[in-house]
Each structure stands twice: as C-alpha cells, then as structure tokens.
Amino acid sequence: EAGVVQSPRYKIIEKKQPVAFWCNPISGHNTLYWYRQNLGQGPELLIRYENEEAVDDSQLPKDRFSAERLKGVDSTLKIQPAELGDSAVYLCASSSYRGRVFFGPGTRLTVL
Amino acid sequence: AQTVTQSQPEMSVQEAETVTLSCTYDTSESDYYLFWYKQPPSRQMILVIRQEAYKQQNATENRFSVNFQKAAKSFSLKISDSQLGDAAMYFCAYRSARVTGANSKLTFGKGITLSVRP
C-alpha cells in the first residue's frame, strides 16, 4: 500500500515569491491534514479536510496561505507571498474515520 | 483547549539500556487517545505506540511500552534494550475521541531528542 505522497521534498525560494505543495493521501482516507513543523518543534495543524470540505482552518494564515482539496482526494497548499518566517517543514497526513493518522515525508521550505 | 507538554528537550541512553521519555497533558475530556511518534532526522514521522484513555492496561509494542496515569495526566514512553536506530525526535500527541470539529486534530508536544550511545 502506498503511503502519503508529498512533492516537492525540498524547496528554496526568495521571499515574496509564491510556492505550492502537493499531497496525495492514502487511497480511501477521507481526512487530510496539513501541518507545519518549525525547527525543533512539534507539528501544528494548519488545516484539516473531511473529504473536500475544510472543517478546521482556524490556524491557517488566510492572508497569504490557501489550500484546496478538489474532488476530495489530493490537496494543494499555497503560500503567496512567502515570508522568511514561513521556512519550515510542511507535513501532510491522512486518516480514515477514527483511524490511525499516517504522515507523509514532508516538504522542507527555505525562504531566503 | 488541550495541551501536551514535554519538558525534557534532550535525553541520552547507552545502547542496550532502558530509557523513559516523559509527557504530560491537559484536557477536560474523558475519552481520548495518546500517541508517541518517532521522527528520525530528515525522515517522516511514524507512529510508535497508541493508548486509548478508557483502557487501563498500558500499551506495549515490542521494546516500547507506556506508563499511562490518567488521573495524573501523565503518559511516559519506555524504550527497553535501546538500539542505535532508536535515535530520533520523539513526540507525544493527543487526540480527542470525538471525530468532529477541531477535536479531531493531533496536538503535539515540542518533542524530545533521544541520542543512543554505542
């Protein structure tokens, strides 16, 4: 069974540039999460989807971050424009109803 | 809101010895799950062990076991016969048993870096 797939694995951009991350969850998982993990810290939830509906986006900085999960499968997280403080690892995770949460390998973003 | 606290930033253990990683949490709920996740350097996060709050018996997975003290809101991880491959960051996490709304998310502690000495 394929795990959670994320791309790219690494991204280096200059501040004020846009960036997008892609996630393909495990087949059949209706819940998809985007977490941000700063260096030396635990992950913090940015947004959670149940199928195609965003049910918890309270921690998403909506002035520059956006996300979508069309058709309730894969998802894209976008930052525009990126700031220095956005440098972090962006983790995607998925789960089935009440099931175990599986994490992807993450995208390490460096903003210069 | 639920909080998870890992107060030890780093720990070290000799290979083949036993180490215990501490975690405390705060919640007003009675039904929830607790987890320990392992994150090796530059590698993805994997689940080590899971505890259901309504179960009194402590969870065990091979060399990994927990000491779950519900009244004290304490959830420690014991690693027996430590191996070099156990070196990683370990995160304690909480999740409500209610699957709707904001309660469904995992809330993580800050993590602890475990090093294993050969």
Side-chain angles (χ1 to χ4, degrees), chain A residues 31-80:
Chain A
T31 305
L32 184 145
Y33 312 78
W34 282 103
Y35 282 85
R36 178 169 61 187
Q37 185 178 18
N38 292 313
L39 185 64
Q41 301 291 317
E44 294 182 332
L45 182 71
L46 290 174
I47 190 169
R48 176 172 70 92
Y49 283 92
E50 293 291 344
N51 299 306
E52 62 272 13
E53 181 183 1
V55 296
D56 183 3
D57 63 355
S58 58
Q59 301 302 311
L60 189 73
K62 297 181 182 64
D63 57 335
R64 297 183 300 107
F65 286 65
S66 65
E68 61 182 11
R69 191 185 184 196
L70 300 176
K71 301 181 181 180
V73 181
D74 56 347
S75 176
T76 302
L77 178 68
K78 298 178 181 178
I79 309 174
Q80 182 171 11

Side-chain angles (χ1 to χ4, degrees), chain A:
Chain A
E1 177 183 281
V4 177
V5 179
Q6 289 188 250
S7 68
R9 291 293 311 277
Y10 304 91
K11 189 73 176 178
I12 300 174
I13 61 171
E14 294 188 345
K15 63 180 181 181
K16 300 185 181 181
Q17 294 298 306
V19 65
F21 314 125
W22 176 81
C23 172
N24 190 28
I26 293 173
S27 177
H29 282 190
N30 59 315
T31 305
L32 184 145
Y33 312 78
W34 282 103
Y35 282 85
R36 178 169 61 187
Q37 185 178 18
N38 292 313
L39 185 64
Q41 301 291 317
E44 294 182 332
L45 182 71
L46 290 174
I47 190 169
R48 176 172 70 92
Y49 283 92
E50 293 291 344
N51 299 306
E52 62 272 13
E53 181 183 1
V55 296
D56 183 3
D57 63 355
S58 58
Q59 301 302 311
L60 189 73
K62 297 181 182 64
D63 57 335
R64 297 183 300 107
F65 286 65
S66 65
E68 61 182 11
R69 191 185 184 196
L70 300 176
K71 301 181 181 180
V73 181
D74 56 347
S75 176
T76 302
L77 178 68
K78 298 178 181 178
I79 309 174
Q80 182 171 11
E83 297 179 352
L84 295 176
D86 296 331
S87 295
V89 175
Y90 291 83
L91 297 168
C92 180
S94 71
S95 70
S96 58
Y97 180 75
R98 294 182 75 98
R100 173 180 162 181
V101 178
F102 290 83
F103 284 84
T107 296
R108 183 177 298 277
L109 173 67
T110 301
V111 181
L112 303 176

